[in-house]
Amino acid sequence: MAAILRFRKLCFLEPSSPSSCNEHKKQTAKRDEKKLRENCDAGEDGLRRKGVKEWRCIDSCCWVIGLMCTAWWLLLFLHHCMPASLPGAEPPGVRLRRQGVVALHPVVLVPGIVTGGLELWEGRPCSDGLFRQRLWAGSFAEIFKRPMCWLEHLSLDNETGLDPAGIRVRASSGLVAADYFAPGYFVWANLIENLARIGYEEKNMHMAAYDWRLSFQNTEVRDQTLSRLKSKIELMYVSNGYKKVVVVPHSMGANYFLHFMKWVESAGGGGRGWCAKHIKSIMNIGPVFLGVPKAVSSILSAESKDVAFLRAMAPGLLDSEIFRLQALEHVMRVSRTWDSLVSLLPKGGEAVWGNLDWSPEEDHVCEWGTRKYQQQSKTKGNETDGRHSFQVQEPTKFGRIVSFGKTGSSPDAISSKPNASCGKVKTEYDEVSQETIQRISEERVYTADTLLDLLRSVAPKMMKRAEAHFSHGIAENLSDPKYSHYKYWSNPLETELPEAPDMEIYSLYGVGIPTERSYVYKLSPPGKCRSIPLQIDSSADGSHNGCLKGGVYFVDGDESVPVLSAGFMCAQGWKGKTRFNPSGSATYIREYKHIAPANLLHGRGLESGAHVDIMGNVALIEDVLRVAAGASGVELGGDRIYSDIMKLSEKIKIHL
């Protein structure tokens, strides 16, 4: 090794000999150099024989890239582990307690989709050692240890929507069921902590956990979740001095609780006055009352804007033929067994979401994109590949929830079969003919009305099963006996609020973040490990108002839920006495303008309006604490609106 180092030094440091050196010294130097070179070669041969590889430039590059990625993920992890307040800042619960705000009404928290923990009670042999361990919303270590086993146990039966044979996965219970999604990544933790600071504990605070994969009615069929929630609310009401309950649902939990209220008055045996007797307020955080377009892309191609961006930056990674990842196929295979996903599809049809030529947000301008798109180079027509963007110059029609923007998509994209080395991943696309896929792409545009037919053609089993539990229309006559069926209970446009004139309903959500509204699709390119024939066209950019980026049209919202979905019901659908709110329960809109963290020390919340991070928003926490302590909507300040929700609501002409 010493000889090698000496040779390296000899190679890279040129000896400077005086011009007066004689020939003898030159010959001596050559002999020494030759000897050292021979020793060097012998040493390197020995290293090769011992299995030690020579360090190359590519190795250095890989190490540098690896270090950069590691540093980035470390910073991201630290950012999400930071509390939702500045170090040393006074928590809102402490400040309000000092002002005399104390616990009064019992509080029930209702989590949404994905954020609640799921644990194993019975499984296949591959799950040995995981009894009552979290498969979801925990450390996620099992994803890396035994990924296929993990996916198998998170799937439901594709025929019944219930447990597969030999597998029982159940929702975690208690406040820990949804306090953190992963270590350091809070969901309800900050709100729970601040409620505790004004006197709450488990005797007057409850997490209504449920298996968010199931249809709402199946949570009762399998787990009696609705019955247990009814009993819990009645117990809290009695044991806390007959104080009415404040319910705080998040995201899909808002629709779940709508279903519960209708169930408790009919099938649950509570009668028409149960809600009026037991519920003071419903404070819906980031509600998805009218659904989210993001659910459409999830069912069509198991992707959203982030996945489309990743595909554009690293083509083939998610469908890698080398690593055999096929990540999207596995995500689709599992998620299409979850009926709850269908509950998130847009509700109200074209009357709410717009048609081919109109939408409520048609005047919306995305300030973050206008100048950028004007500076982009122009391209001719739609002839482009994934490396270049093409411009969409026609006026934005947000009502076209799915459109195919490239006429140059080749039929070869659907006729070619995946490489045999990829392994076969069963998705419902395996049962869809090539002619059907070609016809889908040729029809070009799908609105909220035609969208359901599109999904029925590409996900027939899922839609047939789930549509027996959910509906997405607008009721013409709510007195029609058919609306007594549970499939209508979670759609606010097909059911009535309970007769509870003193009950208050809040819609609390963030604004100021680009939120997915509609998509430009294309046929997937041929070859590689692809069995999903459709994908978001990440090369589509432009539109006259700068709202199209990476194949996704954006509007105002909280990053997941558009303002239209979160705010319409409280802004118009339930405002005053309407056919959807016959007793005139008071409704309030409380919007929280998104302010991104200035640095890592600010954590995720504080002033965030993002769909999950808003749970750490100081202003939102204060609103919830004040209502729980007895304040009314009027005392809270009434509506607080930053967005165009009132203008959007006026454009929607439905019978109220």
Side-chain angles (χ1 to χ4, degrees):
M1 182 59 72
I4 294 174
L5 294 175
R6 286 196 297 271
F7 174 64
R8 297 291 188 194
K9 184 176 181 180
L10 180 63
C11 291
F12 293 102
L13 297 177
E14 295 184 1
S16 60
S17 2
S19 58
S20 58
C21 275
N22 55 34
E23 192 65 24
H24 175 71
K25 289 184 178 181
K26 290 181 180 180
Q27 292 176 357
T28 302
K30 288 180 179 180
R31 285 197 302 271
D32 292 341
E33 181 181 350
K34 183 179 180 181
K35 185 176 180 181
L36 285 172
R37 186 176 290 109
E38 291 173 352
N39 291 337
C40 174
D41 293 340
E44 289 180 347
D45 288 342
L47 290 175
R48 281 194 292 270
R49 283 194 298 271
K50 292 179 181 179
V52 180
K53 295 182 179 179
E54 181 182 359
W55 193 262
R56 299 168 298 169
C57 179
I58 187 65
D59 299 318
S60 300
C61 293
C62 290
W63 269 99
V64 171
I65 294 173
L67 288 173
M68 291 174 63
C69 291
T70 302
W72 169 253
W73 284 109
L74 179 60
L75 289 173
L76 189 64
F77 175 77
L78 291 175
H79 168 68
H80 287 301
C81 285
M82 291 299 295
S85 61
L86 290 173
E90 187 177 47
V94 173
R95 183 172 63 258
L96 293 180
R97 181 63 179 263
R98 192 173 60 250
Q99 296 173 5
V101 176
V102 294
L104 181 62
H105 294 275
V107 172
V108 172
L109 312 175
V110 185
I113 192 170
V114 171
T115 53
L118 299 174
E119 57 188 40
L120 183 69
W121 282 81
E122 180 185 2
R124 304 281 165 75
C126 67
S127 65
D128 286 347
L130 295 181
F131 176 68
R132 293 206 63 198
Q133 298 297 310
R134 284 203 180 186
L135 297 183
W136 187 264
S139 66
F140 293 98
E142 298 307 318
I143 298 179
F144 305 102
K145 293 179 181 178
R146 30 190 161 182
M148 301 311 297
C149 182
W150 180 78
L151 289 169
E152 181 182 13
H153 285 77
L154 280 181
S155 301
L156 295 171
D157 186 275
N158 209 22
E159 299 293 336
T160 65
L162 297 169
D163 293 325
I167 293 177
R168 280 187 297 152
V169 174
R170 297 292 181 264
S172 303
S173 58
L175 295 175
V176 297
D179 54 354
Y180 288 92
F181 179 67
Y185 192 97
F186 72 82
V187 183
W188 292 90
N190 287 282
L191 182 56
I192 292 172
E193 180 180 356
N194 281 281
L195 283 166
R197 293 180 188 278
I198 64 170
Y200 282 92
E201 51 187 295
E202 289 197 335
K203 69 179 181 182
N204 55 1
M205 178 167 52
H206 171 68
M207 179 73 72
Y210 58 97
D211 190 336
W212 46 263
R213 301 172 301 163
L214 301 173
S215 72
F216 301 157
Q217 188 63 22
N218 273 345
T219 64
E220 173 66 14
V221 170
R222 195 193 72 178
D223 303 329
Q224 293 75 55
T225 307
L226 301 177
S227 296
R228 289 189 285 118
L229 178 56
K230 173 177 177 285
S231 299
K232 185 65 177 180
I233 290 177
E234 291 172 343
L235 175 62
M236 295 175 75
Y237 170 75
V238 172
S239 61
N240 286 277
Y242 298 95
K243 297 291 191 300
K244 294 183 181 181
V245 174
V246 172
V247 184
V248 188
H250 174 243
S251 188
M252 188 183 77
N255 299 67
Y256 182 81
F257 197 74
L258 278 177
H259 181 99
F260 167 80
M261 288 193 294
K262 199 67 177 180
W263 173 88
V264 78
E265 290 191 338
S266 54
R272 296 182 67 83
W274 190 93
C275 292
K277 178 180 179 181
H278 294 91
I279 301 175
K280 173 190 183 292
S281 304
I282 308 172
M283 306 195 73
N284 302 285
I285 301 176
V288 290
F289 287 133
L290 301 183
V292 286
K294 183 181 286 190
V296 177
S297 63
S298 296
I299 296 176
L300 274 183
S301 54
E303 59 182 339
S304 60
K305 65 179 177 67
D306 300 318
V307 174
F309 175 78
L310 181 59
R311 269 180 156 169
M313 294 296 99
L317 175 62
L318 295 175
D319 313 280
S320 175
E321 192 170 327
I322 298 175
F323 300 108
R324 302 185 185 181
L325 296 177
Q326 295 182 265
L328 296 184
E329 280 83 353
H330 287 298
V331 169
M332 176 174 288
R333 174 175 65 85
V334 175
S335 63
R336 281 195 177 183
T337 67
W338 301 342
D339 290 346
S340 60
L341 193 58
V342 175
S343 77
L344 299 176
L345 291 175
K347 301 176 178 67
E350 292 181 358
V352 172
W353 295 92
N355 54 32
L356 296 178
D357 302 311
W358 169 86
S359 64
E361 305 99 330
E362 60 186 353
D363 298 326
H364 179 68
V365 176
C366 299
E367 299 176 356
W368 47 270
T370 305
R371 290 190 299 272
K372 177 179 178 181
Y373 293 125
Q374 290 175 347
Q375 295 171 355
Q376 289 181 345
S377 59
K378 296 182 179 179
T379 57
K380 295 182 179 180
N382 287 334
E383 297 299 325
T384 178
D385 55 27
R387 295 171 296 176
H388 302 88
S389 63
F390 70 93
Q391 304 294 305
V392 178
Q393 299 298 339
E394 66 177 17
T396 303
K397 305 296 182 184
F398 292 108
R400 307 178 182 193
I401 296 180
V402 172
S403 59
F404 286 80
K406 286 188 178 182
T407 58
S409 299
S410 170
D412 293 337
I414 60 172
S415 61
S416 61
K417 296 181 179 180
N419 191 304
S421 66
C422 298
K424 190 173 183 180
V425 180
K426 285 287 292 182
T427 66
E428 288 194 78
Y429 276 116
D430 300 329
E431 303 171 15
V432 179
S433 67
Q434 298 174 6
E435 293 75 16
T436 299
I437 300 299
Q438 186 66 40
R439 176 180 53 79
I440 287 171
S441 65
E442 289 173 352
E443 289 188 5
R444 312 277 300 159
V445 178
Y446 299 87
T447 66
D449 282 351
T450 58
L451 188 64
L452 293 177
D453 290 331
L454 167 63
L455 297 178
R456 292 182 190 115
S457 65
V458 300
K461 288 183 179 179
M462 178 187 194
M463 294 300 291
K464 181 180 179 180
R465 183 186 67 246
E467 283 190 296
H469 292 262
F470 298 107
S471 180
H472 303 86
I474 301 177
E476 296 180 1
N477 179 13
L478 285 169
S479 61
D480 190 323
K482 77 173 186 178
Y483 291 109
S484 61
H485 192 276
Y486 58 75
K487 69 181 288 185
Y488 302 102
W489 293 349
S490 63
N491 182 356
L493 298 176
E494 292 182 307
T495 191
E496 296 178 345
L497 288 177
E499 292 185 4
D502 296 329
M503 184 177 71
E504 296 180 331
I505 302 177
Y506 296 79
S507 190
L508 318 172
Y509 56 89
V511 297
I513 309 178
T515 303
E516 296 172 53
R517 176 61 163 83
S518 51
Y519 303 88
V520 178
Y521 264 81
K522 68 176 182 179
L523 295 175
S524 299
K528 296 191 176 180
C529 296
R530 290 190 175 96
S531 58
I532 301 178
L534 308 176
Q535 69 179 67
I536 295 174
D537 188 354
S538 58
S539 66
D541 282 307
S543 82
H544 76 294
N545 58 2
C547 290
L548 174 62
K549 182 179 180 181
V552 181
Y553 285 98
F554 294 93
V555 292
D556 192 12
D558 69 358
E559 196 173 40
S560 292
V561 186
V563 163
L564 180 66
S565 178
F568 171 77
M569 293 309 298
C570 285
Q572 181 171 315
W574 290 328
K575 201 70 173 180
K577 285 190 176 183
T578 70
R579 65 191 185 106
F580 303 116
N581 182 15
S583 65
S585 298
T587 63
Y588 300 96
I589 292 177
R590 303 285 289 177
E591 294 183 344
Y592 306 87
K593 194 171 183 179
H594 175 71
I595 300 178
N599 53 58
L600 287 176
L601 294 179
H602 280 205
R604 290 166 43 222
L606 200 61
E607 296 178 289
S608 176
H611 189 61
V612 176
D613 294 357
I614 196 174
M615 304 287 278
N617 187 295
V618 171
L620 180 140
I621 292 174
E622 288 188 3
D623 285 348
V624 173
L625 266 57
R626 289 185 184 279
V627 171
S632 66
V634 174
E635 293 170 328
L636 212 61
D639 293 336
R640 182 179 60 203
I641 298 174
Y642 298 105
S643 71
D644 292 331
I645 183 58
M646 303 308 294
K647 294 180 180 178
L648 298 180
S649 300
E650 291 172 0
K651 294 180 181 179
I652 297 175
K653 306 300 182 182
I654 62 175
H655 173 54
L656 296 176

